[in-house]
Amino acid sequence: MLHRTMLKAVLKTLPAAIVLAIASGSAAADPMYPSDAEGFHGYLRAGAGSNTSGGGGSQGCFGLGGNTMKYRLGNECDAYTEFGYTKSVAKSGGVNYLATIWVNAYAPNSDFGDNKLGIVKAYVEAQGLDFLNGGTAWIGKRFYYRPDIHMLDLQYINMNGTGAGLDRIPAGPGKFSYAFFKDNDIKIALPNGGVNTKSAVRQNFIFGEIPVNENGTLDLAATYIIGEGKDDVATGKRNNGWQLSAFHRQGKVFGGGNTFGVQYGVGPGTGNGAQFGASGDTNFGSDVKRTRIFNDMAIQPMANFGMEFVALWQKDESNAKGSSTWTSVGVRPVYAFTDNFKLVGELGTDRVTQAGGQPAKRLTKLTIAPTISAGPGLWSRPELRAFVTYGKWNDAATASVNTSNNGGPIYNNNTSGTSYGFQVETWF
């Protein structure tokens, strides 16, 4: 009951918060959810590999699946690309109107083949509105506030979707953003000939870039989800949900930065997979909960040496599945021998407890990747990699490793395996 009272109080104070935001000083772009820059931009990862188990075959990837993520270097058995164009379509009284359209394609193996393109961005925003003191208004489908832990490919919060919002409005010491999204907006045919829906109305609130110490800022992000449709035998009971997240971002840490996060979600507020922020299944009741604490540090102390380090703890609870805890620690060091050649390594270990007193699942993964790169830095891209990856797990994790592997149960009942191959990754 306490969390419901708190959420009602937040929603009641929303109009006052917007008024405060409009009445405050000038706005600047927030680096955590920037607008798309004008021009052609995108992302690509693709490659090919195999494994050393008997007759070879598909590249083997090592992860525990479920609500976890895997360490990605030399451990991605799929192919993905997204790209598009942003153009200034009009200017009026100092306001810039930008239109963005992006498409994407995904393949669960090394070949894009005839996989179809999907539209992932299609929106228009008005930047520099005077009545928002330089803030931005937008409507459409877009990527929205999705910072990540790169080597886990974990967007620990992801508010993507179709909706509308007001962004980066100055509010006292920080900036305020509000967004309205409609998730899972589809009809479901019922056996009796009627229709229902499991759609959800999602409201996201962000108060960010709050200075709290030298080169350090605080972001506060909240989500409130209202499940739609009717309670039905076929579609289940409708539930509401919410999440609260706090992130401290520290700049100028050995040439890089550090992010410390604390997150908590209930019901559909636990999100999709390992991501908070979007609407999870509206069948999830208040017994479904997730708590996460993590630290992600990326540093560049020397021009030719950089490193990312992550430590994460996550607890998932529900009446149906009991309690499970995911603990993960990993490091990715990068050493450049020249401006265009570096050696990249990645070591990560995961432990997932199981309900009912069953033994914990354990997995450790190591990758070595000689890399041709457009620069010596940790984030220099493109990277053209050759890699060898070794995975080791316990008996309790065998079924999960086989299930989560895109290539299927190629390691059978073994508790270790090796894969190798080549991969390109770039953003532009």
Side-chain angles (χ1 to χ4, degrees), residues 18-31:
I18 293 177
V19 170
L20 173 63
I22 294 173
S24 302
S26 60
D30 186 324

Side-chain angles (χ1 to χ4, degrees), residues 261-282:
V262 178
Q263 301 176 273
Y264 182 74
V266 174
T270 54
N272 290 321
Q275 297 175 343
F276 281 95
S279 298
D281 193 332
T282 54

